[in-house]
Amino acid sequence: MMKLVFALAALAALALVPAFAGPYPLGLGIGILGYGVLATAWAMFSGPTRYISLATVAFFGLGAYTVAVLADMLPYPLVLLVAAFVGLVVALIVGLATLRLAGIYFVIFTFGLTELVRQLVTYYEVNVTRTLGRYVFLPLGPEHIYWQLLALLAATLAIAFWVSRARIGLALRVIGDDPVVASHLGIRITRTKLTLFSISCVIMTLAGAIQAPRWTYIEPSIVFNPTTSFLVVIMALLGGPNRLFGPLLGAVPLFLLFEWLSANFPNHYSIILGLLFIAIVFVLPNGVLAAGDSLWSRLTRREARP
Amino acid sequence: MTLLSLHNVTKRFGGLTAVNGLTFDLAMGETVGLLGPNGSGKTTALNLISGYLPLSDGSITLSGDAIGTLPPERIAHRGVARTFQLVRALPSLSVGENVLAALAFRKSPLWGQQAEAQIEALLADVGLSGRASQPADSLTYIDLKRMELARALASDPQLLLLDEWLAGLNPTELRAGIDLITSLRQRGITILLVEHVMDAIRALCSRCVVMNAGTKIADGPTSEVLADREVIRAYLGDEHA
Ligand SMILES: Nc1ncnc2c1ncn2[C@@H]1O[C@H](COP(=O)(O)OP(=O)(O)OP(=O)(O)O)[C@@H](O)[C@H]1O
Ligand SMILES: [Mg+2]
C-alpha cells in the first residue's frame, strides 16, 4: 500500500516535469522515458528466458511507420490502436517462426528480422506508394509525447510487476532455466513464450508510435536504426533484466551517456557501443546491479563465517 | 488393472537402436524395477514414456489411451512425473519455487496460499523441511535429488518414473530413500524404477524388467529375474553365468 502511494506520488511528480523543464531537458526526458519503456518491455521477455532479442527496433519502427501512414486518415487514438495491432500480428508471426530457435540463432534471426522489415517497408514505399520519407503532422507538442510515454512506462511497469507475480511469469522463468523440465511439469512452452513475447513487442510498437510525431520527417533508416536495439539490450542487462526497475535504472545513465558520446564522439560512437554490448552480454549477463548484489552477499557471507 | 502398457516400443538414433521392440505392462499400484547394464536403453525407455523423445516405432498407452505421440506437457497432465538421471534442478529458482513450478502447472493447479502449505509438506516428505526459501543452486547433490523428487510428487502423479534416484547415496541415506519410496508405494503411486542398487531393487520391487542392448531379456518376479542366467551374463559377462 505504501509502495503504491509512493509510486503514484512519483508518477504525479514526473507528470509535472513539462511545466518546469525547457525544451532541451524535456527532450532528454522523452528519450529516457522512451528507452525506459523499451528496456523494461525487452526485459519482460528476455530477462527470464535469456533470449537476447535484437528485434526491438523492428517493432519500434513499425509503430512509428504506422503513425506516419495513418495519421492523416484516422483519429489519433485509433492510430495507436492499429499500431498495437500491427505489432501484435508481426510479433505472433515472428514468435511462431523463431521461438524454437535458441541462443545465438535467435540473436541473429532477430537482427536479420529488423533488416528484413526495414527492407520490406522501403520496398513498399518506393514501389507501391512511390515515397520514401513521410511527414508526420500531428498537433502534439513534446509535452504530450512526454505524458503519453510516461503513461506507457507506468503501464509497462505495472504489467511487468503483474507478470513477475503471476503463474505465467513463473512459467517463463522455468522455461528459461530448463525447457525440458518445464515441459515435464506441464508448462505449455510455445504458448507461454508467445504470450509474453507479444506483450513485450506490442509495448515496443506503441513506444515507436508515440514518438513518431517527434521526428516530423520519417524514413526507414531513421526509425529502423539497429543501434536502438543494441542500446536497449545494454540498458536492460546493465540495470538487471530480472528486476522490476532494473532496465529503467539502466536506461537513465546510459541514455545520457550515449547522448553525450554521440554529440562529442560521433565517429567513435558505434565502436564504443559495440564494445559495451560485447562486454555486458558476455561478462555480466545478469546485470551490473545483480553482479553488485552477488559480490555484496559474497562479502557479507565471508564476514559471517568464523 | 493395467496402467501403463508398452508395445513393441523402439527408438533409433541414426544407426543405433537404443530401445528395440520393448513390450511390457505395469499394473496399477505396482513398483517395477527396470534393470540392465550401462547403455542398455533404460533411460531412453523412460524418455519415450515421458514424451521427451519421439518413438521410432511401437505404441505406449496409459490407462488405455495412446500417449506415444503426445508432447511431454500433455503426458504430464495425464499423471506421469519423473526424475532425471542427471538431476535437473531449476537453478535460478528457490527450492520452494522448484516445487511450486510443479504445483502451479499440473492438471489441477495450486497457487498462492494453498500452494505454500503444500510446498512445505512436500519438502518435509523428502527431508528438506524449512529449506523452501534457499536458492536451489546452493543445495548439495543429494539434496538436489530430494528436491527433484519433491517436485515430481508435487505433480500429483499416478505414475512415477525414477531414473537411478538412489544412486550415490550413502548407506544411511539409502535406507531413508528406500523408506521414502516404500511410503509412495503405499500411497498407491505406480513406480517404474531404473536402478543399479540391488538392495534397493530387492526391497522395493516385486517385479523386474531387464534390458540388454535395447532388448528385453527378462521379465518376472525379482528373485527369479536376478537368478536368471541370461541376466547374470548380461551384467557380469559370460564367465560368471
Ligand atoms: N539422445 C541420444 N542420441 C544418441 N544416442 C543416444 C541418445 N540417448 C541415448 N543414446 C544411446 O542409446 C544407448 C542407450 O542409452 P541409455 O542412456 O538409454 O542407457 P541406460 O540404460 O540408461 O544406461 P546407464 O545405465 O548408463 O544410464 C546408449 O548407447 C546411448 O549412447
Ligand atoms: Mg540411464
Side-chain angles (χ1 to χ4, degrees):
Chain A
M1 199 56 214
M2 268 315 284
K3 276 186 186 164
L4 186 65
V5 172
F6 184 76
L8 289 176
L11 196 62
L14 285 172
L16 290 177
V17 166
F20 305 104
Y24 182 69
L26 188 58
L28 289 182
I30 289 174
I32 288 174
L33 289 177
Y35 274 104
V37 169
L38 290 178
T40 307
W42 183 89
M44 211 186 286
F45 175 77
S46 293
T49 57
R50 303 188 188 89
Y51 278 40
I52 307 283
S53 164
L54 290 175
T56 306
V57 84
F59 292 95
F60 177 87
L62 276 175
Y65 239 91
T66 309
V67 172
V69 172
L70 297 179
D72 299 338
M73 306 179 212
L74 296 172
Y76 182 67
L78 211 57
V79 174
L80 287 187
L81 209 64
V82 173
F85 184 73
V86 169
L88 177 65
V89 171
V90 176
L92 289 173
I93 295 170
V94 172
L96 282 172
T98 61
L99 293 180
R100 285 170 212 277
L101 300 175
I104 192 74
Y105 298 105
F106 183 78
V107 183
I108 293 168
F109 187 98
T110 52
F111 184 70
L113 173 85
T114 307
E115 203 51 26
L116 178 73
V117 170
R118 181 164 78 115
Q119 295 296 344
L120 282 177
V121 170
T122 307
Y123 178 88
Y124 181 82
E125 292 287 72
V126 170
N127 290 290
V128 181
T129 61
R130 309 222 171 258
T131 52
L132 186 54
R134 282 173 179 271
Y135 290 91
V136 186
F137 295 120
L138 279 169
L140 294 170
E143 69 280 6
H144 294 108
I145 295 174
Y146 177 92
W147 284 323
Q148 287 181 56
L149 281 176
L150 185 62
L152 183 62
L153 178 65
T156 307
L157 286 168
I159 294 171
F161 178 72
W162 171 78
V163 166
S164 71
R165 305 247 156 163
R167 279 175 67 205
I168 193 167
L170 178 66
L172 199 66
R173 286 166 64 207
V174 175
I175 294 168
D177 263 11
D178 191 335
V180 171
V181 171
S183 63
H184 279 85
L185 296 179
I187 293 173
R188 294 189 176 91
I189 294 185
T190 307
R191 205 165 83 173
T192 305
K193 287 204 285 197
L194 204 55
T195 305
L196 281 170
F197 185 69
S198 302
I199 294 176
S200 150
C201 291
V202 166
I203 295 170
M204 291 169 178
T205 312
L206 283 173
I210 291 173
Q211 289 181 77
R214 266 183 93 197
W215 281 290
T216 315
Y217 176 77
I218 281 184
E219 67 172 43
S221 61
I222 299 176
V223 291
F224 292 106
N225 181 356
T227 312
T228 308
S229 295
F230 283 97
L231 209 49
V232 165
V233 176
I234 298 174
M235 288 167 171
L237 291 186
L238 191 83
N242 289 312
R243 302 149 176 274
L244 183 58
F245 290 103
L248 182 59
L249 290 179
V252 177
L254 278 173
F255 174 77
L256 296 174
L257 174 69
F258 279 100
E259 275 292 297
W260 182 76
L261 283 176
S262 62
N264 293 289
F265 305 94
N267 298 325
H268 303 99
Y269 173 78
S270 313
I271 300 176
I272 300 171
L273 184 77
L275 288 176
L276 246 176
F277 179 79
I278 292 170
I280 287 177
V281 169
F282 287 100
V283 184
L284 295 171
N286 289 321
V288 169
L289 288 178
D293 253 16
S294 72
L295 184 68
W296 173 251
S297 68
R298 228 177 302 155
L299 289 174
T300 47
R301 220 180 290 164
R302 191 162 302 156
E303 270 170 27
R305 258 184 234 138
Chain B
M1 208 180 116
T2 306
L3 177 64
L4 177 77
S5 175
L6 277 70
H7 181 73
N8 199 26
V9 165
T10 301
K11 180 66 192 180
R12 285 181 283 270
F13 295 112
L16 174 86
T17 306
V19 174
N20 194 356
L22 185 62
T23 300
F24 68 86
D25 286 354
L26 286 192
M28 200 86 86
E30 219 180 359
T31 300
V32 173
L34 182 58
L35 319 184
N38 291 117
S40 55
K42 306 178 296 291
T43 297
T44 305
L46 293 196
N47 287 342
L48 294 169
I49 298 169
S50 77
Y52 180 21
L53 294 173
L55 295 169
S56 304
D57 209 347
S59 62
I60 304 175
T61 61
L62 189 74
S63 304
D65 302 328
I67 58 164
T69 54
L70 296 183
E73 63 272 18
R74 302 269 307 271
I75 294 175
H77 281 165
R78 282 165 184 258
V80 179
R82 68 174 295 178
T83 64
F84 294 87
Q85 185 170 352
L86 295 171
V87 177
R88 300 183 87 126
L90 301 164
S92 76
L93 273 57
S94 71
V95 174
E97 285 171 328
N98 262 270
V99 178
L100 177 62
L103 292 172
F105 301 101
R106 67 187 198 185
K107 190 77 188 293
S108 48
L110 287 185
W111 186 250
Q113 274 179 347
Q114 278 176 310
E116 295 302 320
Q118 270 293 310
I119 290 171
E120 206 28 62
L122 286 157
L123 288 177
D125 278 350
V126 298
L128 287 175
S129 244
R131 312 272 293 270
S133 58
Q134 214 170 316
D137 66 359
S138 70
L139 294 188
T140 62
Y141 187 70
I142 299 301
D143 284 343
L144 283 173
K145 287 197 141 194
R146 293 193 166 114
M147 181 186 81
E148 204 188 30
L149 182 60
R151 195 174 69 195
L153 293 174
S155 296
D156 193 21
Q158 49 174 341
L159 173 63
L160 181 61
L161 311 171
L162 297 178
D163 198 350
E164 304 197 19
W165 190 75
L166 295 162
L169 302 185
N170 70 33
T172 322
E173 291 164 339
L174 185 62
R175 226 165 301 127
I178 291 174
D179 289 346
L180 178 58
I181 297 176
T182 307
S183 75
L184 303 179
R185 204 174 53 182
Q186 282 158 359
R187 283 192 222 166
I189 301 176
T190 308
I191 301 171
L192 184 59
L193 187 80
V194 171
E195 203 47 74
H196 285 300
V197 184
M198 287 302 162
D199 290 344
I201 293 163
R202 287 202 185 83
L204 292 167
C205 309
S206 49
R207 193 184 128 213
C208 287
V209 173
V210 188
M211 296 176 71
N212 190 24
T215 318
K216 183 169 97 169
I217 57 168
D219 183 349
T222 303
S223 53
E224 278 175 34
V225 162
L226 293 184
D228 187 286
R229 285 174 57 113
E230 202 184 340
V231 173
I232 296 170
R233 195 181 307 132
Y235 262 95
L236 301 171
D238 281 326
E239 64 274 23
H240 293 272

